[in-house]
Amino acid sequence: MAKLYRLLTEEDTSAFCHKVSDALAKGWELHGDPSYAYDAANSVMRCAQAVTKDVAADYSPDMKLGQQ
């Protein structure tokens, strides 16, 4: 059994909400609070949300976390 970790990031648009919602629908769980920061290079706000998931497999750096 392995606990997987992902940090989802995106501009502060509905795309971020869809990315998090998709992860939740695939069994990932929220881990901590979301974060927001201003991206001065692109003049946009960016969001981040950590998610975790327990899987019945040994962890490998070759895992495609988005497909788990």
Side-chain angles (χ1 to χ4, degrees):
M1 178 75 65
K3 180 175 284 285
L4 304 181
Y5 172 90
R6 293 176 65 195
L7 181 64
L8 306 174
T9 62
E10 184 71 49
E11 288 183 19
D12 187 11
T13 66
S14 63
F16 176 73
C17 296
H18 288 291
K19 187 181 278 191
V20 174
S21 295
D22 182 55
L24 295 174
K26 292 177 178 173
W28 292 83
E29 296 181 7
L30 299 177
H31 181 79
D33 294 328
S35 296
Y36 300 92
Y38 184 67
D39 178 353
N42 295 302
S43 300
V44 296
M45 290 298 292
R46 296 196 58 83
C47 305
Q49 174 65 58
V51 292
T52 61
K53 184 177 184 180
D54 291 322
V55 295
D58 291 330
Y59 171 74
S60 167
D62 298 326
M63 287 180 151
K64 302 291 186 202
L65 298 179
Q67 296 174 359
Q68 295 297 317

